[in-house]
Amino acid sequence: WEFTKENPTDLKSKIQPFGGYVYGVGSFKHKIDFSFMYPDTDYKTSTCKTENQNPCEDGNYSYDLAISKLGLTQYVATKVIASKNDIIYEDFIMDADGNLYITGTFEGEVTFYSSDTEEVTKISKGEKDIFLLKLDKNLNFIWVETIGGIKDDIPVKCVLDDAEKYIYITGHFKSPSIQFYSNYFYDEYTNAYVPENLNNIESDVFLWKFLNH
C-alpha cells in the first residue's frame, strides 16, 4: 500500500498494525489523497507558509503531520496537525491499548488540539523543538509534551518499557542548554561544547526517560 501523492519525496512515514487496523503516521507536503482505496474522497493539503495565500500560489508549502487509520477493506480517518512552519515526524509506537506515541520536531507555534472548550498550543523556544504526542486508538488527543532550546533539538527513536510506565526517547541536541521535563520537575543539561559563535555548535546525544500518564 502507498498513499497517492504528487511527489514521492514529500512523504516520510511509518505504519503499524493494531486490532485489525493499520495506523500510519508521517509528515507530508503539498497534496495527498489519504483515502487511496476510494480515490478523490479525502485529499489533504498542507499549510501554505506564505501569508494570505489560498491556494498556495507560490508553492511554498510546509510539512504537516498526518495520522491515518485504515481497515483492511476500508479507509477510516486521517487527523492532520498543521502549521505554517514544518512539523517533522521522526518515530511512533503503540501500546497494548492501541494508544499512539508520536515524536518529531516543530518550529514556531503549533496547535496540537482544539475544541469548543479547550486549545493546546505549543511555541518552540528557538529553532526545532521536540514534541511527544499521545493519541488514543480512535485518534483522539490525550496529551502533548515539548522540550527544546534555542537551536535544533531532534528526536530519533522512542520506545516503551515492558510495563508501559515509561517512554524512552533518544536523539541529539544543538542548543547550548535544554530542559527535560520528567516527573514534574526540570532537569537542565548543558551542551558539552558551546563556542562563541553558536552556528558552529556541535550536537550532543540525549536519552530522555518520560513518565507515561
Side-chain angles (χ1 to χ4, degrees):
W1 287 350
E2 67 174 19
F3 295 110
T4 301
K5 49 193 181 293
E6 296 190 5
N7 185 343
T9 65
D10 284 347
L11 182 67
K12 176 184 181 182
S13 63
K14 174 183 173 181
I15 61 172
Q16 186 167 332
F18 178 85
Y21 295 93
V22 175
Y23 293 80
V25 181
S27 296
F28 75 101
K29 185 177 184 181
H30 202 196
K31 187 178 182 180
I32 293 178
D33 181 14
F34 287 91
S35 58
F36 58 92
M37 296 180 186
Y38 307 95
D40 303 320
T41 58
D42 196 12
Y43 273 102
K44 307 288 187 185
T45 303
S46 65
T47 310
C48 187
K49 290 186 175 185
T50 307
E51 294 283 353
N52 302 319
Q53 282 198 14
N54 188 19
C56 199
E57 295 174 357
D58 63 3
N60 189 21
Y61 290 95
S62 66
Y63 280 93
D64 285 349
L65 180 69
I67 307 100
S68 292
K69 181 178 180 180
L70 312 169
L72 294 178
T73 59
Q74 69 181 101
Y75 169 76
V76 180
T78 293
K79 181 185 187 75
V80 172
I81 298 174
S83 172
K84 287 188 293 185
N85 299 295
D86 293 335
I87 307 172
I88 303 298
Y89 156 82
E90 294 294 342
D91 195 23
F92 94 96
I93 51 176
M94 299 183 73
D95 63 22
D97 295 321
N99 297 311
L100 292 83
Y101 304 82
I102 303 162
T103 190
T105 62
F106 74 103
E107 299 178 66
E109 182 176 307
V110 176
T111 297
F112 286 91
Y113 173 73
S114 180
S115 70
D116 293 338
T117 59
E118 184 183 8
E119 184 176 284
V120 180
T121 297
K122 301 292 186 178
I123 301 174
S124 65
K125 295 179 180 178
E127 297 179 6
K128 293 179 181 177
D129 278 7
I130 297 165
F131 70 84
L132 176 61
L133 172 66
K134 183 176 181 179
L135 306 176
D136 70 14
K137 63 183 179 181
N138 296 315
L139 309 187
N140 296 311
F141 175 86
I142 299 178
W143 50 253
V144 65
E145 300 287 350
T146 61
I147 57 172
I150 63 173
K151 299 293 285 183
D152 286 346
D153 309 309
I154 300 173
V156 174
K157 187 75 175 175
C158 61
V159 297
L160 280 165
D161 66 5
D162 290 341
E164 299 185 346
K165 182 179 180 181
Y166 292 101
I167 307 159
Y168 296 84
I169 298 178
T170 186
H172 48 89
F173 69 102
K174 276 192 172 183
S175 294
S177 64
I178 184 172
Q179 290 183 319
F180 293 90
Y181 179 86
S182 178
N183 296 347
Y184 304 99
F185 66 88
Y186 281 96
D187 289 334
E188 183 169 21
Y189 291 87
T190 302
N191 195 298
Y193 173 65
V194 182
E196 291 185 5
N197 184 352
L198 292 182
N199 291 326
N200 298 325
I201 198 168
E202 300 293 337
S203 295
D204 280 2
V205 174
F206 71 83
L207 174 61
W208 180 28
K209 180 181 179 181
F210 183 77
L211 179 65
N212 195 5
H213 58 92

